[in-house]
Amino acid sequence: MEQLKRMALFATVVARGSMVGAAEALGMTASAVSQQVRRLEEATGVTLLHRTTRKLTLTEAGATFYESCRQIVELAQQAEQRLAEQRDAPVGELRVAAPVGFSGPLLCEALAPLLSAHPGLSLSLFFQDEQIDLIESRIDLAIRVGLQEDSSLIARHVTDWRMLPCAAPAYLARSGMPVAPEQLLRLDWIGLRHERSQHLTLQGPAGAQQRLRLETRISCNNILAARQFTLAGMGVSLQPEPEIRDLLGRGELLPLLPDWRLEPIGLYLVTPRRDAQPAKVRYAMEALRRHLLSA
């Protein structure tokens, strides 16, 4: 146990950059810290630090040893945090990032009950379709769409949403309702990226498949803008069915080619790490998972 304590002390010295800094952090004197480091060097039989009047420098052996000590300290901290999480209710600031399309009622309906049940919890929301850096922006939890390629993040698949090509009745009154996939080529398309073309693969009856290259007339960097242009009768866009269900029910948007289907998009809950999630993140993930599954 004494050796483990000295290893934790050594990790603090390196992290703080000096004996004095470590002493302040640990509530010890600098001479006591220095003495413990010497005992650690005697026990290991190697020199861990080069000491000068101005600074401390790790030896090659010290640098290797420090990595092991740091990992031990982190594991101990995670163990303490897990115990605290079993006791603590969600408190503090919860920072959630999501695509712009989630700025409607869906996210509010999922998280409002959580906030009502836990007065010590506050919420900061960040809406943008471009992927935000979770680490730099201190994001606890993100909702993301499509395959997640960043291996440094933890992505949990929740559900798949159906994508619908749709248009306003006024636009279809001018252009005509398409009855076959190839007729989509003559329509005005509103895209979600700045490329002037997009590819669609449609699955039809009896296993039929059609792949189309569509020219984009209007390109937007978020789905709400694309939806507004669609509602204004400017063309056709792809929209996630749960987000436009009310518009479809009121007849403000009409789906095209209902017998043909596009590949669904996956919804993921993404966090910077897997283990030792704070209670606020675990509760929020469960609330979002339940709501997204029922959407």
Side-chain angles (χ1 to χ4, degrees):
M1 288 300 297
E2 287 299 316
Q3 189 76 341
L4 286 174
K5 291 179 181 178
R6 289 174 185 143
M7 291 171 71
L9 180 144
F10 174 68
T12 304
V13 170
V14 177
R16 294 282 176 162
S18 70
M19 301 288 185
V20 173
E24 292 175 351
L26 297 171
M28 301 170 62
T29 64
S31 60
V33 170
S34 179
Q35 184 182 46
Q36 291 300 315
V37 172
R38 282 197 300 271
R39 289 180 178 175
L40 184 61
E41 289 178 323
E42 291 170 359
T44 56
V46 295
T47 300
L48 302 173
L49 293 168
H50 292 304
R51 300 164 177 81
T52 68
T53 55
R54 291 188 175 182
K55 64 178 182 178
L56 299 176
T57 305
L58 284 168
T59 63
E60 182 179 358
T64 301
F65 190 65
Y66 167 67
E67 282 302 310
S68 298
C69 294
R70 181 185 60 80
Q71 291 172 15
I72 289 172
V73 171
E74 288 182 354
L75 287 171
Q77 291 172 342
Q78 288 177 13
E80 290 180 353
Q81 185 173 348
R82 288 192 183 98
L83 290 175
E85 288 168 1
Q86 293 179 6
R87 179 188 67 241
D88 296 340
V91 294
E93 181 190 26
L94 175 67
R95 297 167 66 86
V96 178
V100 173
F102 284 84
S103 58
L106 195 150
L107 205 59
C108 175
E109 292 170 356
L111 295 179
L114 181 63
L115 291 168
S116 297
H118 301 283
L121 182 66
S122 63
L123 178 65
S124 293
L125 297 172
F126 301 82
F127 294 109
Q128 61 184 67
D129 285 335
E130 293 81 7
Q131 289 195 357
I132 190 171
D133 187 316
L134 302 192
I135 304 298
E136 182 179 336
S137 299
R138 297 187 297 110
I139 299 299
D140 297 304
L141 175 62
I143 301 172
R144 288 189 172 172
V145 175
L147 293 175
Q148 302 302 302
E149 299 178 353
D150 190 340
S151 60
S152 67
L153 303 174
I154 307 302
R156 300 165 178 83
H157 179 261
V158 178
T159 189
D160 293 316
W161 275 5
R162 184 183 178 191
M163 296 296 290
L164 298 180
C166 56
Y171 178 78
L172 294 173
R174 298 193 307 271
S175 67
M177 176 68 81
V179 295
E182 56 271 17
Q183 293 178 349
L184 297 175
L185 295 170
R186 60 178 172 77
L187 302 179
D188 298 305
W189 280 86
I190 303 167
L192 291 179
R193 296 182 178 86
H194 291 297
E195 292 86 356
R196 284 299 171 186
S197 64
Q198 59 181 325
H199 292 87
L200 291 186
T201 300
L202 297 100
Q203 303 290 336
Q209 186 179 90
Q210 188 89 23
R211 182 171 172 81
L212 303 173
R213 182 177 183 272
L214 305 170
E215 296 300 320
T216 300
R217 185 182 182 196
I218 301 172
S219 61
C220 308
N221 71 344
N222 78 65
I223 200 166
L224 292 186
R227 193 174 302 162
Q228 287 304 120
F229 275 100
T230 309
L231 286 165
M234 297 302 298
V236 180
S237 67
L238 297 178
Q239 297 288 332
E241 188 273 336
E243 290 186 12
I244 61 168
R245 196 171 292 156
D246 290 344
L247 296 173
L248 294 171
R250 294 194 299 266
E252 296 180 44
L253 289 177
L254 299 176
L256 310 184
L257 303 176
D259 292 334
W260 292 76
R261 287 182 174 265
L262 294 166
E263 183 177 355
I265 58 169
L267 261 63
Y268 295 81
L269 295 178
V270 180
T271 56
R273 61 182 186 177
R274 183 187 301 276
D275 295 329
Q277 293 290 352
K280 62 183 180 181
V281 176
R282 291 187 287 109
Y283 277 63
M285 289 179 64
E286 180 58 24
L288 288 168
R289 188 190 66 82
R290 287 198 308 266
H291 204 73
L292 291 173
L293 283 172
S294 63

